[in-house]
Amino acid sequence: MTLGLLVGACGLLGLAVGSFLNVVIYRVPRHESIVAPRSACPDCGTPISNRDNLPVLSWLLLKGRCRSCGLPISPRYPLVEAATAALFVGVAVRFGAHAALPAYLVMVAGLLALACIDVETRLLPRRVVYLVLALVVVLLVAATVVTGHWRSLELAAAFSAGWYALFFVINRLDSRLLGFGDVRLALVLGFGLGWLGVAAVLIGFFGANLIGAATGVALIVAKRSNRSTPLPYGAFLALGALVAIYAGPTIHLQLRSF
Ligand SMILES: [Zn+2]
């Protein structure tokens, strides 16, 4: 498969996955099933037909309005779909047809969903965090079997445990500083970034705190918040991890393409 074909396929997959992430982002915090019933307009409750359920395209064709009641549909839905497609294209460009590609597609999708939920609710649902963790671990173990580079897996396990321990201690010292959702998320970040190497972990960790601190200061300066307003730290952690995955050091030296 050529890289162009792979990138295109991942982009289309991203649109479909983004559509599913919308369901997760909306329903999981509301404790609703993500399987049934099918999606409906939040205003009039009319189920959304298949032809109106195409990612991004349907929203554009309907000019952002429900076909039944005409009330606006949030642009968040097409934005999440487009963002997922863009993230998937980025991962495909970065990894190519590498054994680790599926793991990082899952990881960026999970991080996007968790960041959106955290911004909206200031929570990181444990069901989502553990599902992403399980998938990333299984897929990276499989990738390691293919590459034969077991050092990556050792680093992943070590950084997962270390990052978790650090956040666990901070959470015990002051749970307002760091919620337990962030402690659980550290397992995912440590494993996924640790597999890429020490530099990726450092970029992810310091990137997240830099983005978080800059946002906090900007909000205080803009008088949109004060020091006691909780910030979605999980979303900053997710952003930092994305920066590390995309802008981190090239990993091709330790990877054997198949
Ligand atoms: Zn409607």
Side-chain angles (χ1 to χ4, degrees):
M1 192 167 14
T2 66
L3 184 64
L5 209 60
L6 180 73
V7 169
C10 284
L12 287 177
L13 179 67
L15 286 174
V17 170
S19 201
F20 171 68
L21 294 185
N22 273 321
V23 176
V24 171
I25 292 164
Y26 185 86
R27 293 190 186 178
V28 169
R30 291 170 177 80
H31 303 286
E32 296 172 7
S33 162
I34 55 169
V35 192
R38 61 179 302 141
S39 300
C41 167
D43 289 307
C44 68
T46 308
I48 294 164
S49 63
N50 282 331
R51 65 166 174 170
D52 290 343
N53 215 0
L54 293 169
V56 184
L57 206 61
S58 293
W59 190 88
L60 293 174
L61 288 174
L62 292 166
K63 300 191 176 68
R65 291 179 182 282
C66 167
R67 189 185 286 279
S68 302
C69 66
L71 285 170
I73 299 166
S74 168
R76 192 184 76 188
Y77 297 105
L79 283 177
V80 166
E81 288 156 359
T84 312
L87 290 175
F88 274 32
V89 164
V91 173
V93 168
R94 183 136 177 77
F95 289 84
H98 188 273
L101 177 69
Y104 289 95
L105 290 177
V106 167
M107 181 147 168
V108 298
L111 291 176
L112 178 64
L114 287 167
C116 291
I117 294 173
D118 195 27
V119 167
E120 206 166 59
T121 66
R122 295 293 187 275
L123 291 170
L124 297 168
R126 102 181 57 183
R127 281 202 290 164
V128 180
V129 176
Y130 286 151
L131 177 65
V132 175
L133 176 68
L135 288 172
V136 167
V137 169
V138 167
L139 290 170
L140 283 180
V141 168
T144 308
V145 171
V146 174
T147 62
H149 198 281
W150 294 91
R151 178 90 185 122
S152 305
L153 207 57
E154 289 168 21
L155 283 174
F159 277 112
S160 188
W163 201 330
Y164 179 86
L166 173 69
F167 275 14
F168 187 89
V169 169
I170 298 174
N171 172 265
R172 281 302 123 108
L173 291 175
D174 186 353
S175 63
R176 285 166 306 173
L177 213 57
L178 195 90
F180 209 79
D182 301 315
V183 180
R184 288 187 205 105
L185 182 60
L187 288 169
V188 180
L189 302 176
F191 205 92
L193 299 183
W195 199 87
L196 295 174
V198 180
V201 174
L202 293 176
I203 293 171
F205 182 79
F206 290 106
N209 288 290
L210 217 64
I211 297 167
T215 308
V217 170
L219 287 174
I220 291 169
V221 168
K223 300 216 177 352
R224 294 283 301 276
S225 73
N226 55 52
R227 276 159 176 280
S228 59
T229 311
L231 287 172
Y233 187 56
F236 299 134
L237 287 170
L239 267 176
L242 290 176
V243 170
I245 290 172
Y246 294 109
T250 42
I251 47 160
H252 60 269
L253 285 178
Q254 67 176 62
L255 301 175
R256 236 177 25 223
S257 222
F258 68 96

